[in-house]
Amino acid sequence: MPSLPASGPSEPSVLDLAPVVPVVVVEDLADAVPLARALVAGGLPAIEVTLRTPVALDAIRAIADGVPGAVVGAGTVISPAQVSDALAAGARFLVSPGWTDVLLESMRASGVPFLPGVSTTSEVVALLERGVREMKFFPAEAAGGTAYLKSLSGPLPQARFCPTGGIGPANAPEYLALPNVGCVGGSWMLPADAIAARDWGRVETLARQAAGLSGLSAGGTCR
């Protein structure tokens, strides 16, 4: 089972496992394990299962137990109760779309890596003030996209982000080229028709393409 690399003296990080973190919505529990296996085989070990469906926690548990190469996390975490439930299911990291002090302290006390969501400079500064340097930037495109993140890198270089929301293979390299972006989140490697057909080979192919993404160089080609 892959370990989470260190992002600092003591904090583990999920931002360095792969350039893309798949954001997974599991509707049918039977899909959880083969879907995760396809993603891992394609080179995307960090898998965020969103807590948006009745089977989400069971899906996390199934992936944690049945896919040794996966680093499965819980997304759309918005309450301390969900933090506890996700940990009990085997989640190894937590992602929230936003944060409050109560939620932040619960995630911090969990002992696993967490990415609180931000969309404004003030939120970033508030998290830095609380000792948090790694964050989810959401909704990325709607909140200003690469231009916004680039403008943050000068005054707040210590903050690192996983942008999510409106990101696909066309614009992901632009995000990954930014010095304050560790990875991006997205679901384009999980098209609805492939999931419906249980075409795990197609999912693996799309995952492999995503795993090969990198930032655009000044000349406009992948570095």
Side-chain angles (χ1 to χ4, degrees), residues 8-101:
S10 60
E11 291 188 11
S13 172
V14 72
L15 298 186
D16 302 314
L17 287 177
V20 179
V21 175
V23 180
V24 180
V25 180
V26 179
E27 302 285 354
D28 187 336
L29 183 58
D31 293 339
V33 167
L35 183 156
R37 285 176 177 162
L39 292 173
V40 172
L44 300 180
I47 301 170
E48 175 189 337
V49 176
T50 66
L51 301 183
R52 303 181 196 172
T53 67
V55 300
L57 289 170
D58 287 332
I60 291 172
R61 187 173 292 107
I63 294 170
D65 292 341
V67 188
V71 178
V72 63
T76 324
V77 175
I78 59 173
S79 71
Q82 287 183 326
V83 170
S84 297
D85 290 343
L87 289 176
R92 295 176 60 192
F93 65 93
L94 305 168
V95 184
S96 69
W99 65 278
T100 64
D101 280 322

Side-chain angles (χ1 to χ4, degrees), residues 141-168:
E141 284 288 280
T146 54
Y148 194 98
L149 285 171
K150 185 176 181 180
S151 70
L152 290 180
S153 65
L156 302 171
Q158 63 271 53
R160 295 181 74 214
F161 301 95
C162 174
T164 305
I167 298 177

